[in-house]
Amino acid sequence: MRTRKATILAAYMVVALCGCSRNTPTVVRTYAATAPELVDAYWENNELVTMVTYYEMSDGTWKTDTCAYRYRLEITGRNAAAVKDSTFVFLSNRKDITFEQAWKASGFSSNTADYFKEKDARFVALK
């Protein structure tokens, strides 16, 4: 009787562990950082230049090597003196990033208060 209970318990634990492993998100697509020698060509062709390698996950989230995010935001706009629009790509846990916040947080501001904490948002690409 004891052996039967142990066998049933072991089978239950295996099934439970298999169920948990199916809930672990997997990488659907990798967005590799753009090689330095390609940056100028991408910029001239109006293609996204990826600064940080990041991943699209099977559960709809996004992640870098250090943090996970709920959203991937492409924020497009034009600075006052610019001749064309710019697009900033952020992985974020918030949806409300404005164009002004995006261009400042992407490295164009000298005020560190304009940058996001890594757990809130991460600048990953520019076009």
Side-chain angles (χ1 to χ4, degrees):
M1 187 69 164
R2 189 177 267 175
T3 307
R4 185 173 183 214
K5 285 182 181 178
T7 303
I8 292 171
L9 180 61
Y12 177 75
M13 289 178 17
V14 167
V15 169
L17 288 173
C18 289
C20 290
S21 67
R22 277 188 260 138
N23 293 332
T24 303
T26 57
V27 174
V28 173
R29 183 171 176 193
T30 300
Y31 295 80
T34 304
E37 62 272 11
L38 298 175
V39 170
D40 289 337
Y42 279 32
W43 190 255
E44 289 173 15
N45 292 324
N46 204 31
E47 296 179 55
L48 276 175
V49 175
T50 303
M51 310 297 190
V52 176
T53 298
Y54 65 98
Y55 313 92
E56 179 181 1
M57 306 304 291
S58 60
D59 64 353
T61 61
W62 302 83
K63 79 183 274 301
T64 62
D65 290 332
T66 57
C67 255
Y69 302 93
R70 286 184 278 175
Y71 310 106
R72 179 183 179 273
L73 306 174
E74 287 194 24
I75 305 160
T76 301
R78 186 177 298 195
N79 288 323
V83 296
K84 68 176 191 164
D85 288 349
S86 296
T87 299
F88 299 94
V89 178
F90 278 82
L91 302 184
S92 176
N93 285 318
R94 49 185 274 196
K95 289 183 179 180
D96 62 342
I97 298 175
T98 66
F99 179 74
E100 184 175 350
Q101 290 173 310
W103 74 260
K104 286 179 180 179
S106 65
F108 291 104
S109 176
S110 59
N111 184 352
T112 57
D114 291 331
Y115 293 81
F116 296 108
K117 292 180 178 157
E118 186 178 19
K119 67 181 178 71
D120 295 328
R122 177 80 188 263
F123 169 60
V124 293
L126 171 68
K127 174 168 67 169

